[in-house]
Amino acid sequence: MKFLDKIINAELEEKFFKRVVFASIIIILLFLFIVFLNFGIMPNYIVDQDADTKNDGKVEYRIDSISTGRKYIEITGWAYRKGQNLGYFDNRFVIRNEETHKYKVLNTEMQIVDEFFSIDGKYDCRRAGMYAKSLAFGLSKGLYQIFIEYKSDDENILFDTGILFNYGQ
């Protein structure tokens, strides 16, 4: 109860009040720093045991653009399954360092692509667009290969797009 009494009577104990405000600001800044690190570091990616690593023409895709800067990687493109509506979005860009063969996953957002509204006259694949931009803290310089992780209701496909790019060189 003494602690609550001190807060209630803070105007009487100005020194205690200043300490509480300072500590609160430090805690908030620490929390924001941790959140920033969570968005800034690309997590490692482990290929699932049940993942199909061959596309075999099941998925139509295209990489539209790749942009790299000193501290970021940005990739846009699209992917959809032939003969199937794209009901929900769970696709991601994955990159692999050609030297170390380590995989990193990029935070990927769905983009609406209206031109895919009616594929073959009956399939709605407007959610096929993919956009990824990640900060590249801790990413080593080198040659990277782009993969697409395509997940739908009963499939988990991770396939190589055949596209390479240089980061940091």
Side-chain angles (χ1 to χ4, degrees):
M1 246 1 209
K2 286 185 176 184
F3 180 74
L4 291 176
D5 289 338
K6 284 186 174 183
I7 292 175
I8 293 169
N9 298 322
E11 66 272 355
L12 299 176
E13 297 187 31
E14 186 177 336
K15 190 174 184 181
F16 174 76
F17 181 71
K18 286 181 181 179
R19 287 181 184 167
V20 169
V21 169
F22 180 74
S24 300
I25 290 172
I26 294 297
I27 290 170
I28 291 170
L29 290 175
L30 184 61
F31 176 75
L32 291 174
F33 180 73
I34 291 170
V35 168
F36 174 75
L37 281 180
N38 189 33
F39 285 116
I41 297 174
M42 278 189 266
N44 290 327
Y45 181 81
I46 298 171
V47 179
D48 291 338
Q49 295 285 349
D50 64 338
D52 185 1
T53 56
K54 291 187 171 58
N55 184 8
D56 294 334
K58 296 177 187 176
V59 179
E60 291 286 327
Y61 68 92
R62 185 174 76 206
I63 303 297
D64 292 326
S65 68
I66 303 166
S67 176
T68 60
R70 284 182 24 170
K71 297 180 183 177
Y72 73 92
I73 295 173
E74 182 177 28
I75 303 173
T76 60
W78 51 263
Y80 66 87
R81 177 88 157 79
K82 290 180 182 179
Q84 192 176 71
N85 286 322
L86 190 57
Y88 71 93
F89 178 84
D90 198 15
N91 304 335
R92 300 187 294 181
F93 288 115
V94 177
I95 59 174
R96 181 183 73 187
N97 186 308
E98 288 298 293
E99 186 178 315
T100 64
H101 294 282
K102 290 186 179 180
Y103 292 84
K104 297 280 190 176
V105 63
L106 281 73
N107 294 330
T108 308
E109 296 177 4
M110 175 191 69
Q111 300 286 303
I112 302 295
V113 182
D114 288 329
E115 66 191 60
F116 295 139
F117 175 65
S118 180
I119 295 176
D120 297 334
K122 57 186 170 182
Y123 299 109
D124 182 4
C125 295
R126 285 179 287 185
R127 296 182 188 101
M130 299 169 65
Y131 172 78
K133 185 170 185 177
S134 290
L135 296 174
F137 291 130
L139 192 67
S140 58
K141 296 178 181 179
L143 189 63
Y144 286 86
Q145 191 162 1
I146 299 175
F147 289 78
I148 294 178
E149 180 185 48
Y150 186 88
K151 289 186 177 182
S152 64
D153 296 329
D154 58 348
E155 293 179 305
N156 183 10
I157 304 170
L158 177 72
F159 62 90
D160 180 7
T161 63
I163 298 173
L164 298 168
F165 70 94
N166 276 319
Y167 172 71
Q169 296 179 346

